[in-house]
């Protein structure tokens, strides 16, 4: 689950995303300030819009991603249920940007410029397809896990690149919008002092 807010661009609205929208068709059910968005092809709840959000919850962000907490999720469930919906929101509150260690790197069988990497993120080994020319085994890197929201607004989702599944992204300094990020292509390689599995804050 991710929550986006942009008062100047959209208005005083929480955009609550539960599922990737892709190109599916949707139906909408509005009850006062709460709108439920349903994928009409699968019947799954794709998200909610909460209008006049500042009247219901306290938050500090004016534009961008809203930090999720147990308290906020509980409050949103209370709001949604009080408006007549029976859904229960859940959120993975674990860090989405973490330090990873590239254990293996192999050439993609269907693409010369892609590599298939096995990356240790502390709690699991992720398979990530990476197009950076400088990625290699033995590096510590920044991994955007599934559900991470990049500074550009891109939400990281499970993907399949030329027939190979990819469960996250190995990030460059430019993709992380770090100051003085190099223009040339290449992932950010971290110093060895970083601990695998810890949150990478930027």
């Amino acid at each position: 689950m991710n929550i986006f807010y942009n008062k100047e661009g959209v208005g005083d609205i929480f955009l609550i995303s539960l599922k990737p929208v892709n190109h599916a068709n949707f139906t909408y059910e509005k009850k006062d300030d709460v709108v439920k968005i349903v994928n009409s092809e699968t019947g799954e709840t794709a998200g909610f819009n909460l209008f006049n959000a500042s009247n219901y919850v306290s938050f500090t962000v004016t534009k961008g991603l809203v930090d999720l907490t147990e308290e906020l999720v509980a409050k949103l469930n209370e709001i949604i249920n009080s408006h007549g919906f029976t859904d229960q929101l859940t959120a993975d509150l674990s860090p989405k940007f973490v330090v990873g260690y590239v254990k293996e790197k192999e050439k993609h069988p269907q693409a010369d410029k892609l590599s298939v990497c096995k990356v240790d993120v502390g709690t699991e080994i992720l398979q990530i397809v990476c197009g950076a020319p400088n990625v290699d085994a033995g590096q510590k890197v920044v991994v955007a896990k599934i559900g991470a929201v990049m500074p550009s607004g891109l939400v990281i989702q499970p993907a399949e690149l030329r027939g190979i599944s990819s469960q996250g992204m190995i990030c460059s300094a430019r993709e992380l919008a770090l100051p003085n990020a190099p223009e040339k292509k290449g992932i950010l390689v971290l110093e060895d002092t970083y601990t695998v599995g810890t949150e990478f804050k930027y």
Side-chain angles (χ1 to χ4, degrees), residues 96-98 128 130 132 134-135 140-145 148 150-151 156 168-178 186-190 200 202:
K96 297 299 180 291
F97 293 91
V98 298
I128 300 176
C130 180
N134 66 326
V135 67
K140 287 186 177 179
V141 296
V142 180
V143 175
K145 298 172 68 175
M150 304 300 294
I156 302 300
M169 186 170 79
I170 302 174
C171 302
S172 70
R174 185 168 56 175
E175 289 165 335
L176 295 169
L178 298 181
I187 58 164
L188 174 64
V189 180
L190 301 174
F200 183 82
Y202 62 94

Side-chain angles (χ1 to χ4, degrees), residues 91-98 145-146 199:
D92 177 5
L93 302 179
S94 65
K96 297 299 180 291
F97 293 91
V98 298
K145 298 172 68 175
I146 301 301
E199 182 177 8

Side-chain angles (χ1 to χ4, degrees), residues 40-115:
S40 55
E41 297 172 3
T42 65
E44 292 182 307
T45 301
F48 287 88
N49 291 341
L50 173 62
F51 289 82
N52 301 307
S54 60
N55 291 342
Y56 293 94
V57 293
S58 298
F59 54 96
T60 57
V61 66
T62 58
K63 181 180 180 181
L65 194 65
V66 178
D67 288 334
L68 291 176
T69 64
E70 290 182 3
E71 292 76 17
L72 177 58
V73 174
K75 182 63 177 177
L76 290 174
N77 276 323
E78 179 184 314
I79 295 164
I80 289 170
N81 296 157
S82 70
H83 281 74
F85 295 103
T86 59
D87 304 68
Q88 282 291 307
L89 304 180
T90 59
D92 177 5
L93 302 179
S94 65
K96 297 299 180 291
F97 293 91
V98 298
V99 176
Y101 178 76
V102 182
K103 293 176 67 69
E104 300 176 19
K105 170 201 158 182
E106 296 181 354
K107 182 179 174 296
H108 192 296
Q110 304 295 331
D112 290 339
K113 295 184 178 180
L114 296 178
S115 300

Side-chain angles (χ1 to χ4, degrees), residues 175-195:
E175 289 165 335
L176 295 169
L178 298 181
N180 304 314
E183 289 300 316
K184 65 179 182 179
K185 289 186 177 180
I187 58 164
L188 174 64
V189 180
L190 301 174
E191 297 176 357
D192 197 52
T193 53
Y194 283 85
T195 301

